[in-house]
Coordinates of all heavy atoms in Angstrom, one line a residue:
M1 N 115.8 93.0 70.8 CA 114.5 92.8 71.5 C 114.3 94.0 72.4 O 115.3 94.6 73.0 CB 114.5 91.5 72.2 CG 115.0 91.5 73.6 SD 115.2 89.9 74.4 CE 113.5 89.5 75.0
L2 N 113.1 94.4 72.6 CA 112.8 95.5 73.5 C 112.3 94.9 74.8 O 111.5 93.9 74.9 CB 111.7 96.4 73.0 CG 112.0 97.1 71.7 CD1 110.8 97.9 71.2 CD2 113.2 98.1 71.9
V3 N 112.8 95.4 75.9 CA 112.5 95.0 77.3 C 112.1 96.2 78.1 O 112.8 97.2 78.2 CB 113.7 94.3 77.9 CG1 113.4 93.9 79.4 CG2 114.1 93.0 77.1
C4 N 110.9 96.1 78.8 CA 110.5 97.1 79.6 C 110.9 96.8 81.1 O 110.6 95.8 81.6 CB 108.9 97.2 79.6 SG 108.3 98.6 80.6
L5 N 111.6 97.7 81.7 CA 112.0 97.6 83.1 C 111.1 98.5 83.9 O 111.0 99.7 83.6 CB 113.5 98.1 83.2 CG 114.1 98.1 84.6 CD1 115.6 98.0 84.5 CD2 113.8 99.3 85.4
I6 N 110.5 98.0 84.9 CA 109.6 98.8 85.8 C 110.3 98.5 87.2 O 110.4 97.4 87.6 CB 108.2 98.3 85.8 CG1 107.5 98.4 84.4 CG2 107.4 99.1 86.9 CD1 107.1 99.8 84.0
A7 N 110.6 99.6 87.8 CA 111.2 99.6 89.1 C 110.5 100.5 90.1 O 110.2 101.6 89.7 CB 112.7 100.0 89.1
H8 N 110.2 100.0 91.3 CA 109.5 100.8 92.3 C 110.5 101.0 93.4 O 111.2 100.1 93.9 CB 108.3 100.0 92.8 CG 107.2 99.8 91.8 ND1 106.3 100.8 91.4 CD2 107.0 98.8 90.9 CE1 105.5 100.4 90.5 NE2 105.9 99.2 90.1
D9 N 110.6 102.3 93.8 CA 111.5 102.7 94.9 C 111.0 102.1 96.2 O 109.8 102.0 96.5 CB 111.5 104.2 95.0 CG 112.1 104.9 93.8 OD1 112.5 104.2 92.9 OD2 112.2 106.2 93.8
K10 N 112.0 101.9 97.1 CA 111.6 101.6 98.5 C 110.9 102.8 99.1 O 111.2 103.9 98.8 CB 112.9 101.3 99.3 CG 113.6 100.0 98.9 CD 114.8 99.8 99.6 CE 115.5 98.5 99.2 NZ 116.9 98.3 99.8
T11 N 110.0 102.5 100.1 CA 109.3 103.6 100.8 C 110.4 104.5 101.5 O 111.3 104.0 102.1 CB 108.4 103.0 101.8 OG1 107.4 102.2 101.1 CG2 107.6 104.1 102.6
G12 N 110.2 105.8 101.4 CA 111.1 106.7 102.0 C 112.5 106.8 101.5 O 113.4 107.3 102.1
A13 N 112.7 106.4 100.2 CA 114.0 106.4 99.6 C 114.3 107.5 98.6 O 115.2 107.5 97.9 CB 114.2 105.1 98.9
L14 N 113.5 108.6 98.7 CA 113.7 109.7 97.8 C 115.1 110.3 97.9 O 115.7 110.6 96.9 CB 112.7 110.8 98.1 CG 112.8 112.1 97.2 CD1 112.6 111.7 95.7 CD2 111.8 113.1 97.5
E15 N 115.7 110.4 99.1 CA 117.1 110.9 99.3 C 118.1 110.0 98.5 O 119.0 110.5 97.9 CB 117.4 111.0 100.7 CG 118.7 111.7 101.0 CD 118.7 113.2 100.6 OE1 117.6 113.8 100.7 OE2 119.7 113.7 100.1
V16 N 117.9 108.7 98.5 CA 118.8 107.8 97.8 C 118.7 108.1 96.3 O 119.6 108.1 95.6 CB 118.4 106.3 98.1 CG1 119.2 105.4 97.2 CG2 118.7 106.0 99.6
R17 N 117.4 108.3 95.8 CA 117.2 108.6 94.4 C 117.9 109.9 94.1 O 118.6 109.9 93.1 CB 115.7 108.7 94.1 CG 115.4 109.2 92.7 CD 113.9 109.2 92.4 NE 113.5 107.8 92.1 CZ 113.6 107.3 90.9 NH1 114.1 108.0 89.9 NH2 113.1 106.0 90.7
L18 N 117.7 110.9 94.9 CA 118.3 112.2 94.5 C 119.9 112.2 94.6 O 120.5 112.8 93.7 CB 117.8 113.3 95.5 CG 116.3 113.5 95.4 CD1 115.8 114.5 96.4 CD2 115.9 114.0 93.9
E19 N 120.4 111.4 95.5 CA 121.9 111.3 95.7 C 122.5 110.6 94.5 O 123.7 110.9 94.2 CB 122.2 110.6 97.0 CG 122.0 111.4 98.2 CD 122.2 110.6 99.5 OE1 122.4 109.3 99.4 OE2 122.0 111.2 100.6
N20 N 121.8 109.7 93.9 CA 122.3 108.9 92.8 C 121.8 109.3 91.4 O 122.1 108.6 90.4 CB 122.0 107.4 93.1 CG 122.8 106.9 94.2 OD1 124.0 106.6 94.1 ND2 122.2 106.9 95.4
R21 N 121.0 110.3 91.3 CA 120.3 110.7 90.1 C 121.3 111.0 89.0 O 121.2 110.6 87.8 CB 119.3 111.8 90.3 CG 118.5 112.2 89.1 CD 117.3 113.1 89.4 NE 116.7 113.6 88.2 CZ 115.9 112.9 87.4 NH1 115.7 111.6 87.7 NH2 115.3 113.4 86.4
S22 N 122.3 111.8 89.3 CA 123.3 112.2 88.2 C 124.0 111.0 87.6 O 124.2 110.9 86.4 CB 124.3 113.2 88.8 OG 123.7 114.4 89.2
A23 N 124.4 110.1 88.5 CA 125.1 108.9 88.0 C 124.2 108.0 87.2 O 124.5 107.4 86.2 CB 125.7 108.1 89.2
H24 N 122.9 107.9 87.6 CA 121.9 107.2 86.9 C 121.7 107.7 85.5 O 121.7 107.0 84.5 CB 120.6 107.1 87.7 CG 119.4 106.6 87.0 ND1 119.2 105.3 86.7 CD2 118.3 107.3 86.5 CE1 118.1 105.2 86.0 NE2 117.5 106.3 85.9
V25 N 121.5 109.0 85.4 CA 121.2 109.7 84.1 C 122.4 109.5 83.2 O 122.3 109.3 82.0 CB 120.8 111.2 84.3 CG1 120.8 111.9 83.0 CG2 119.5 111.3 85.0
E26 N 123.6 109.7 83.8 CA 124.8 109.5 83.0 C 124.9 108.0 82.5 O 125.3 107.8 81.3 CB 126.1 109.8 83.8 CG 127.4 109.7 83.0 CD 127.4 110.6 81.8 OE1 126.9 111.7 81.8 OE2 128.0 110.2 80.8
Y27 N 124.5 107.1 83.3 CA 124.5 105.7 82.9 C 123.5 105.5 81.7 O 123.8 104.8 80.7 CB 124.2 104.8 84.1 CG 124.1 103.3 83.8 CD1 125.3 102.6 83.4 CD2 123.0 102.6 83.9 CE1 125.3 101.3 83.1 CE2 122.9 101.2 83.6 CZ 124.1 100.6 83.2 OH 124.1 99.2 83.0
L28 N 122.3 106.1 81.8 CA 121.3 106.0 80.8 C 121.9 106.5 79.5 O 121.7 105.9 78.4 CB 120.1 106.8 81.1 CG 119.2 106.4 82.3 CD1 118.1 107.4 82.5 CD2 118.6 105.0 82.1
K29 N 122.6 107.6 79.5 CA 123.2 108.2 78.3 C 124.4 107.5 77.8 O 124.7 107.6 76.6 CB 123.5 109.7 78.6 CG 122.3 110.5 78.9 CD 122.7 111.9 79.2 CE 121.5 112.8 79.5 NZ 122.0 114.2 79.8
S30 N 125.1 106.7 78.6 CA 126.4 106.1 78.3 C 126.3 104.8 77.5 O 127.2 104.3 77.0 CB 127.2 105.9 79.5 OG 126.7 104.8 80.3
T31 N 125.1 104.2 77.4 CA 124.9 103.0 76.7 C 124.0 103.2 75.5 O 123.2 104.2 75.4 CB 124.3 101.9 77.6 OG1 122.9 102.2 77.8 CG2 125.0 101.8 78.9
D32 N 124.1 102.3 74.6 CA 123.2 102.4 73.4 C 121.9 101.6 73.6 O 121.2 101.4 72.6 CB 124.0 101.8 72.1 CG 125.1 102.7 71.7 OD1 125.1 103.9 72.0 OD2 126.1 102.1 71.2
H33 N 121.7 101.1 74.8 CA 120.5 100.2 75.0 C 119.2 100.9 75.4 O 118.2 100.3 75.3 CB 120.9 99.2 76.1 CG 122.0 98.3 75.8 ND1 122.0 97.5 74.6 CD2 123.2 98.1 76.4 CE1 123.2 96.9 74.6 NE2 123.9 97.2 75.6
V34 N 119.3 102.2 75.8 CA 118.1 102.9 76.3 C 117.3 103.4 75.1 O 117.7 104.3 74.4 CB 118.5 104.0 77.3 CG1 117.2 104.7 77.8 CG2 119.2 103.4 78.5
H35 N 116.1 102.9 75.0 CA 115.1 103.3 73.9 C 114.3 104.5 74.4 O 114.1 105.5 73.7 CB 114.2 102.1 73.5 CG 113.3 102.4 72.4 ND1 113.7 102.6 71.1 CD2 111.9 102.5 72.4 CE1 112.7 102.8 70.4 NE2 111.6 102.8 71.1
L36 N 113.9 104.5 75.7 CA 113.2 105.6 76.3 C 113.2 105.3 77.8 O 113.4 104.2 78.3 CB 111.8 105.8 75.8 CG 110.8 104.7 75.9 CD1 110.0 104.8 77.2 CD2 109.8 104.8 74.8
A37 N 113.1 106.4 78.6 CA 113.2 106.3 80.0 C 112.6 107.5 80.7 O 112.5 108.6 80.2 CB 114.7 106.1 80.5
G38 N 112.1 107.2 82.0 CA 111.6 108.3 82.8 C 111.2 107.8 84.1 O 111.0 106.6 84.3
P39 N 111.0 108.7 85.1 CA 110.6 108.3 86.4 C 109.1 108.0 86.5 O 108.3 108.6 85.7 CB 110.9 109.5 87.3 CG 110.8 110.7 86.3 CD 111.3 110.2 85.0
L40 N 108.7 107.1 87.4 CA 107.3 107.0 87.7 C 107.0 108.1 88.7 O 107.8 108.5 89.6 CB 107.1 105.6 88.4 CG 107.4 104.4 87.5 CD1 107.2 103.1 88.3 CD2 106.6 104.4 86.2
I41 N 105.7 108.6 88.7 CA 105.3 109.7 89.6 C 104.2 109.3 90.5 O 103.2 108.7 90.0 CB 104.9 110.9 88.7 CG1 106.0 111.3 87.7 CG2 104.5 112.1 89.5 CD1 107.3 111.7 88.3
D42 N 104.3 109.6 91.8 CA 103.2 109.3 92.7 C 102.1 110.3 92.7 O 102.2 111.3 92.0 CB 103.8 109.0 94.1 CG 104.4 110.3 94.7 OD1 104.1 111.4 94.3 OD2 105.2 110.1 95.7
A43 N 101.1 110.1 93.5 CA 99.9 111.0 93.5 C 100.3 112.4 93.9 O 99.6 113.4 93.6 CB 98.9 110.4 94.5
E44 N 101.4 112.6 94.7 CA 101.8 113.9 95.1 C 102.7 114.6 94.1 O 103.2 115.7 94.3 CB 102.5 113.9 96.5 CG 101.5 113.5 97.6 CD 101.2 112.0 97.7 OE1 102.1 111.2 97.4 OE2 100.0 111.7 98.0
G45 N 103.0 113.9 93.0 CA 103.9 114.5 92.0 C 105.4 114.2 92.2 O 106.2 114.7 91.4
G46 N 105.7 113.3 93.1 CA 107.1 113.0 93.4 C 107.5 111.8 92.7 O 106.7 110.9 92.3
M47 N 108.8 111.6 92.4 CA 109.4 110.5 91.8 C 109.3 109.3 92.7 O 109.7 109.4 93.9 CB 110.8 110.7 91.4 CG 111.0 111.8 90.3 SD 112.7 112.1 89.8 CE 113.3 112.9 91.3
C48 N 108.9 108.1 92.2 CA 108.7 106.9 93.1 C 109.1 105.6 92.4 O 108.9 104.6 92.9 CB 107.2 106.8 93.5 SG 106.1 106.5 92.1
G49 N 109.8 105.8 91.2 CA 110.2 104.6 90.5 C 110.7 104.9 89.1 O 110.9 106.1 88.8
S50 N 111.0 103.9 88.3 CA 111.5 104.2 87.0 C 110.9 103.2 86.0 O 110.5 102.1 86.3 CB 113.0 103.9 87.0 OG 113.7 104.7 87.8
M51 N 110.7 103.7 84.8 CA 110.3 102.9 83.6 C 111.3 103.2 82.5 O 111.5 104.3 82.1 CB 108.9 103.3 83.2 CG 108.2 102.3 82.3 SD 108.7 102.2 80.6 CE 108.3 103.8 80.0
I52 N 111.9 102.1 82.0 CA 112.9 102.2 81.0 C 112.6 101.1 80.0 O 112.4 100.0 80.3 CB 114.3 102.0 81.6 CG1 114.6 103.0 82.7 CG2 115.4 102.1 80.5 CD1 115.8 102.7 83.5
V53 N 112.7 101.5 78.7 CA 112.6 100.5 77.7 C 114.0 100.3 77.1 O 114.6 101.3 76.6 CB 111.6 100.9 76.6 CG1 111.6 99.9 75.4 CG2 110.2 101.0 77.1
L54 N 114.5 99.1 77.2 CA 115.8 98.8 76.7 C 115.7 98.1 75.4 O 114.8 97.3 75.1 CB 116.5 97.9 77.7 CG 116.7 98.4 79.1 CD1 117.2 97.3 80.0 CD2 117.7 99.5 79.1
D55 N 116.7 98.4 74.5 CA 116.8 97.7 73.2 C 118.1 96.8 73.3 O 119.2 97.4 73.3 CB 116.9 98.7 72.1 CG 116.8 98.0 70.7 OD1 116.9 96.8 70.6 OD2 116.7 98.8 69.7
V56 N 117.9 95.6 73.6 CA 119.0 94.7 73.9 C 119.0 93.4 73.0 O 117.9 93.0 72.5 CB 119.0 94.3 75.4 CG1 119.4 95.5 76.2 CG2 117.7 93.7 75.8
P57 N 120.1 92.7 72.9 CA 120.1 91.4 72.1 C 119.3 90.3 72.8 O 118.7 89.4 72.1 CB 121.5 91.0 72.0 CG 122.3 91.9 73.0 CD 121.4 93.0 73.3
D58 N 119.2 90.3 74.1 CA 118.5 89.2 74.8 C 118.2 89.6 76.3 O 118.7 90.7 76.7 CB 119.3 87.9 74.8 CG 120.7 88.1 75.3 OD1 121.0 88.8 76.2 OD2 121.6 87.4 74.7
M59 N 117.5 88.8 77.0 CA 117.1 89.1 78.4 C 118.3 89.1 79.3 O 118.3 89.9 80.2 CB 116.1 88.1 78.9 CG 115.4 88.5 80.2 SD 114.6 90.1 80.2 CE 113.1 89.7 79.3
A60 N 119.3 88.3 79.0 CA 120.5 88.3 79.8 C 121.2 89.7 79.8 O 121.7 90.2 80.8 CB 121.5 87.3 79.4
A61 N 121.2 90.4 78.6 CA 121.8 91.7 78.5 C 120.9 92.7 79.2 O 121.5 93.6 79.9 CB 121.8 92.1 77.0
A62 N 119.6 92.6 79.2 CA 118.7 93.5 80.0 C 119.0 93.3 81.5 O 119.1 94.3 82.2 CB 117.3 93.2 79.7
E63 N 119.2 92.1 82.0 CA 119.4 91.8 83.4 C 120.8 92.4 83.8 O 120.9 93.0 84.8 CB 119.4 90.3 83.6 CG 118.0 89.7 83.5 CD 118.0 88.2 83.5 OE1 119.1 87.6 83.4 OE2 116.9 87.6 83.5
A64 N 121.8 92.3 82.9 CA 123.1 92.8 83.2 C 123.0 94.3 83.3 O 123.6 95.0 84.2 CB 124.1 92.3 82.2
W65 N 122.3 94.9 82.3 CA 122.2 96.4 82.3 C 121.5 96.9 83.6 O 122.0 97.8 84.2 CB 121.4 96.8 81.1 CG 121.4 98.3 80.9 CD1 122.2 99.0 80.1 CD2 120.5 99.3 81.5 NE1 121.9 100.4 80.2 CE2 120.9 100.5 81.1 CE3 119.5 99.2 82.5 CZ2 120.3 101.7 81.5 CZ3 118.9 100.3 82.9 CH2 119.3 101.6 82.5
A66 N 120.4 96.2 84.0 CA 119.7 96.6 85.1 C 120.5 96.5 86.4 O 120.5 97.3 87.3 CB 118.4 95.8 85.3
A67 N 121.3 95.4 86.5 CA 122.2 95.2 87.7 C 123.3 96.3 87.8 O 123.7 96.6 88.9 CB 122.8 93.8 87.6
N68 N 123.7 96.9 86.7 CA 124.7 97.9 86.7 C 124.2 99.3 86.8 O 125.0 100.3 86.9 CB 125.6 97.7 85.5 CG 126.5 96.6 85.6 OD1 127.3 96.4 86.6 ND2 126.4 95.7 84.6
D69 N 122.9 99.5 86.9 CA 122.3 100.8 87.0 C 122.7 101.4 88.4 O 122.6 100.7 89.4 CB 120.8 100.7 86.9 CG 120.1 102.0 87.1 OD1 120.7 103.1 87.5 OD2 118.9 102.0 86.8
P70 N 123.2 102.6 88.5 CA 123.6 103.1 89.8 C 122.5 103.1 90.8 O 122.7 103.0 92.0 CB 124.0 104.6 89.5 CG 124.6 104.4 88.1 CD 123.7 103.5 87.4
Y71 N 121.2 103.3 90.4 CA 120.1 103.2 91.3 C 120.0 101.8 91.9 O 119.8 101.7 93.1 CB 118.8 103.5 90.6 CG 118.4 105.0 90.4 CD1 117.4 105.3 89.6 CD2 119.1 106.0 91.1 CE1 117.1 106.7 89.4 CE2 118.8 107.3 90.9 CZ 117.7 107.6 90.1 OH 117.4 109.0 89.9
A72 N 120.2 100.8 91.1 CA 120.1 99.4 91.6 C 121.3 99.2 92.6 O 121.1 98.6 93.7 CB 120.2 98.4 90.5
K73 N 122.5 99.6 92.2 CA 123.7 99.4 93.1 C 123.5 100.2 94.4 O 124.1 99.7 95.4 CB 124.9 99.9 92.4 CG 125.3 99.0 91.2 CD 126.6 99.5 90.6 CE 127.1 98.5 89.6 NZ 128.4 98.9 89.0
A74 N 122.7 101.3 94.4 CA 122.5 102.0 95.7 C 121.4 101.4 96.5 O 121.1 101.9 97.6 CB 122.2 103.5 95.3
G75 N 120.7 100.4 96.0 CA 119.7 99.8 96.8 C 118.4 100.5 96.8 O 117.6 100.4 97.7
L76 N 118.1 101.3 95.8 CA 116.9 102.2 95.7 C 115.6 101.4 95.6 O 114.6 101.8 96.2 CB 117.1 103.2 94.6 CG 115.8 104.1 94.3 CD1 115.5 105.0 95.4 CD2 116.1 104.9 93.0
F77 N 115.6 100.3 94.8 CA 114.4 99.7 94.4 C 113.9 98.6 95.4 O 114.7 97.8 95.9 CB 114.5 99.1 93.0 CG 114.9 100.1 92.0 CD1 116.0 99.8 91.1 CD2 114.2 101.3 91.8 CE1 116.4 100.8 90.1 CE2 114.6 102.2 90.8 CZ 115.7 101.9 90.0
S78 N 112.6 98.6 95.6 CA 112.0 97.5 96.4 C 111.6 96.3 95.4 O 111.6 95.2 95.9 CB 110.7 98.0 97.1 OG 109.7 98.4 96.1
A79 N 111.4 96.6 94.1 CA 111.0 95.6 93.2 C 111.4 96.1 91.8 O 111.3 97.3 91.5 CB 109.6 95.3 93.2
V80 N 111.9 95.1 91.0 CA 112.2 95.4 89.6 C 111.7 94.3 88.7 O 111.9 93.1 89.1 CB 113.7 95.5 89.4 CG1 114.1 95.7 87.9 CG2 114.3 96.7 90.2
T81 N 111.0 94.6 87.6 CA 110.6 93.6 86.7 C 111.1 93.9 85.3 O 111.2 95.1 84.9 CB 109.0 93.5 86.6 OG1 108.5 94.7 86.2 CG2 108.4 93.0 87.9
L82 N 111.5 92.9 84.6 CA 111.9 93.0 83.2 C 111.0 92.1 82.4 O 110.9 90.9 82.6 CB 113.4 92.5 83.1 CG 114.4 93.4 83.8 CD1 115.7 92.6 83.9 CD2 114.7 94.7 83.0
T83 N 110.4 92.8 81.4 CA 109.4 92.1 80.6 C 109.6 92.4 79.1 O 109.7 93.6 78.8 CB 107.9 92.5 81.0 OG1 107.8 92.3 82.4 CG2 106.9 91.6 80.2
E84 N 109.7 91.4 78.3 CA 109.8 91.7 76.8 C 108.6 92.5 76.4 O 107.5 92.3 76.8 CB 109.8 90.4 76.0 CG 110.1 90.7 74.6 CD 110.4 89.4 73.7 OE1 110.5 88.3 74.3 OE2 110.5 89.6 72.5
W85 N 108.8 93.5 75.6 CA 107.8 94.5 75.2 C 107.8 94.6 73.6 O 108.8 94.5 73.0 CB 108.2 95.8 75.8 CG 107.2 97.0 75.5 CD1 106.0 97.1 76.0 CD2 107.5 98.1 74.7 NE1 105.4 98.3 75.5 CE2 106.3 98.9 74.7 CE3 108.5 98.6 74.0 CZ2 106.2 100.1 74.1 CZ3 108.4 99.8 73.3 CH2 107.3 100.5 73.4
K86 N 106.6 94.7 73.1 CA 106.5 94.9 71.6 C 105.9 96.3 71.3 O 104.8 96.6 71.8 CB 105.5 93.8 71.1 CG 105.3 93.9 69.6 CD 104.4 92.9 69.0 CE 104.3 93.0 67.5 NZ 103.3 92.0 67.0
K87 N 106.6 97.0 70.6 CA 106.2 98.4 70.2 C 105.1 98.3 69.1 O 105.4 97.6 68.1 CB 107.4 99.2 69.7 CG 107.0 100.6 69.4 CD 108.3 101.4 69.0 CE 108.0 102.8 68.6 NZ 109.2 103.5 68.3
V88 N 104.0 98.9 69.3 CA 102.9 98.8 68.3 C 102.6 100.2 67.8 O 102.4 100.4 66.6 CB 101.6 98.2 69.0 CG1 100.5 98.3 68.0 CG2 101.9 96.8 69.4
I89 N 102.6 101.2 68.6 CA 102.3 102.6 68.2 C 103.5 103.5 68.7 O 103.9 103.4 69.9 CB 101.0 103.1 68.8 CG1 99.9 102.2 68.3 CG2 100.8 104.6 68.5 CD1 98.5 102.5 68.9
G90 N 103.9 104.5 67.9 CA 104.8 105.5 68.4 C 106.1 105.4 67.7 O 106.6 104.4 67.1

């Protein structure tokens, strides 16, 4: 199943994002679950969150993957949603 993870950074947490970015990107690359991923961008062009589409067997696997993301462990996010997603185009 495909699951879309949308995470919004806490206000003023850019330093936390930058400090943990290498570990986060390595985590993305280290699992077979990431279908696509990239940062959300604010009006000024700065990173302010994440959007990741996971290919997982079930929602429990998506929740476990999200909990182990170095960004989540660092407390970067103010909110995270996981929603089943259906690919139609692309």
